[in-house]
Amino acid sequence: VYFTGNRHVAVGVKDEGTVLVLEDAVVRDTYGRGHDDAFGRGLEAGGGAQVEARRVLFDRNREVGMMATGAGTTLTLFDVVVQNTLSGDGGAYAGQGGRGLEVSGGAHAEVDRVLSLGNREIAVMIGDEGTSAAIEDITVCDTRSGEVTGTFGRGIESMRGAQVEVHRGTFERNRDLGVAAFGPGTSVTMADVLVRETLERECATDACRRFGAGTGVGSYDGAQVDMARFFISYNALCGIQVAPGTDEDGAPSLECGTMDLHHGEVAWNAVCGANVQCAGFAIDRLLDDVLFHDNAGTNLDMTE
């Protein structure tokens, strides 16, 4: 099946009891709705619907390539490519968005063999308490910053109490943060992963000069990250960061993130291997058979 040139949402699935199996399909060039050019999503599932997509390409849709939201909603992906998602053209999302995959509101995603390429802001976003994702064999590359703000460009972000597991993942040439976790109750568990060449935000050339970021893996504001068998290298700022971060209103958070590292390597990062901004954090949690080397002469930095 080939979906192209549709408006608002190309494939929409809603309500408990609704089931869609989509195989051998292309979903491309979805435009905003007619009266205000808002949205333009490739796939949207909600209200407890069940969606399974196998061998599907999502290309040049707008605002979000694939979305699952609401308690009881499940999205299962096998052999899927989501790429080149564009910002919204109108409405409240004009010039914003461009995410490849968004799971929120208590939905669950099963992801196996997925490529995310050239999306915007956040390639894979998992948010909200009760929301979860089980991810295997994922590659997330070349995420761009927001079209208007020039910020973000993150590979995968989990927030607001969501639970994420990743087995076998590559996160390469994303911006700002390759892998990020924010908020109390948020958990990201990863094994057999590569995080490399995280670049500065696009605004680093002007609007956010000297604040371009570019860290491989970060945990903030009460989130927990656990990684085993990993290689983190060649990031523009630091390999890993554990810090307070900010709350949803942008105010400084008083709660730090936490992180546990096992059996890995953090090397050749431009400023430091690890940046820890949390007083009292036990540094040995980062040192379970973990090698830090060639990090611009600073393996551990404990300043803002």
Side-chain angles (χ1 to χ4, degrees), residues 140-216:
V140 181
C141 295
D142 300 314
T143 309
R144 301 186 61 189
S145 295
E147 181 179 1
V148 172
T149 65
T151 59
F152 299 113
R154 297 168 180 171
I156 183 169
E157 179 176 314
S158 181
M159 67 183 81
R160 298 191 298 268
Q163 309 292 301
V164 179
E165 292 188 9
V166 178
H167 296 274
R168 296 181 303 277
T170 296
F171 302 88
E172 191 170 20
R173 294 186 307 277
N174 302 295
R175 291 182 177 270
D176 186 20
L177 286 161
V179 177
F182 292 88
T186 300
S187 172
V188 176
T189 303
M190 312 182 79
D192 303 302
V193 293
L194 170 69
V195 185
R196 69 189 306 268
E197 293 186 64
T198 308
L199 307 172
E200 290 188 312
R201 306 163 181 161
E202 292 179 20
C203 65
T205 58
D206 45 53
C208 64
R209 191 185 302 273
R210 296 181 62 235
F211 297 95
T215 290

Side-chain angles (χ1 to χ4, degrees), residues 257-281:
T258 61
M259 188 178 297
D260 293 277
L261 302 181
H262 317 275
H263 316 300
E265 191 170 349
V266 182
W268 295 295
N269 298 288
V271 175
C272 67
N275 173 238
V276 178
Q277 300 181 24
C278 303
F281 178 82

